[in-house]
Amino acid sequence: MKRAEVTEKILTAKRLKELTWEEIAKKIGGASKIIVTAACMGQMKMTKEQATKAGKLFGLGKEEVLLLQEVPYRGSLPQIPPTDPLIYRFYELVQVYGTTWKELIQEEFGDGIMSAIDFDMTLERQPDQKGDRVKIGMSGKFLGYKSY
């Protein structure tokens, strides 16, 4: 059994049960909608309690529930650059603004990086008369480089 097969089974159950990620996150609990969704998509691990709830919700077997608790092999893009238009826009954002983010973060914090491990994200819909907007907030711990 591969972790990707568990993700496919989860997505099939989500579709058949007509569940939203918000509903799934509430039923599994213990983390934000973003973390629960990432875990269901195979990019984060679940606690035993969360995996057990997910197993019941999605009709998963014992091995599948155990796989939800393992540290995943992260990185879900099938190819670079991504071909999915929505995901490509994030790739495009990094291409266009990556050097700007780097300059501004290093000017403010010094030589280092923003953690993708000690990280939080929010996502919300902002109504707008010209068309609703997607608002994403990202917060990662700053990790300064050490001099040896």
Side-chain angles (χ1 to χ4, degrees):
M1 168 81 38
K2 295 188 185 242
R3 183 58 186 82
E5 293 171 294
V6 179
T7 296
E8 288 305 315
K9 193 167 182 178
I10 287 170
L11 291 173
T12 297
K14 175 188 180 292
R15 188 178 307 112
L16 292 173
K17 293 182 177 210
E18 299 181 359
L19 295 169
T20 66
W21 288 114
E22 185 76 36
E23 293 167 330
I24 291 166
K26 286 179 181 172
K27 290 176 187 294
I28 292 174
S32 72
K33 172 176 71 173
I34 290 169
I35 296 297
V36 170
T37 304
C40 289
M41 297 301 293
Q43 296 303 301
M44 301 296 271
K45 71 178 203 155
M46 291 185 180
T47 65
K48 184 175 185 175
E49 182 180 343
Q50 290 170 318
T52 300
K53 288 178 181 178
K56 289 177 184 166
L57 179 62
F58 298 122
L60 305 177
K62 182 177 180 178
E63 183 181 11
E64 295 161 326
V65 169
L66 290 171
L67 276 169
L68 292 175
Q69 299 169 66
E70 289 184 7
V71 175
Y73 185 86
R74 292 180 174 97
S76 61
L77 297 180
Q79 68 184 55
I80 298 293
T83 56
D84 179 88
L86 190 139
I87 296 172
Y88 182 81
R89 292 302 168 254
F90 287 96
Y91 179 80
E92 184 178 47
L93 283 168
V94 172
Q95 287 182 317
V96 174
Y97 293 103
T99 55
T100 302
W101 293 333
K102 177 179 170 53
E103 279 296 312
L104 293 172
I105 289 169
Q106 289 180 336
E107 181 176 87
E108 180 73 24
F109 294 91
D111 187 16
I113 62 170
M114 182 178 85
S115 176
I117 296 169
D118 190 343
F119 178 82
D120 191 24
M121 182 173 63
T122 58
L123 186 142
E124 63 184 88
R125 180 184 206 125
Q126 282 189 317
D128 188 289
Q129 63 185 3
K130 297 178 193 170
D132 289 355
R133 300 180 68 82
V134 178
K135 181 178 179 182
I136 298 174
M138 297 183 289
S139 172
K141 181 179 181 182
F142 180 77
L143 303 170
Y145 285 106
K146 293 181 181 181
S147 297
Y148 294 96

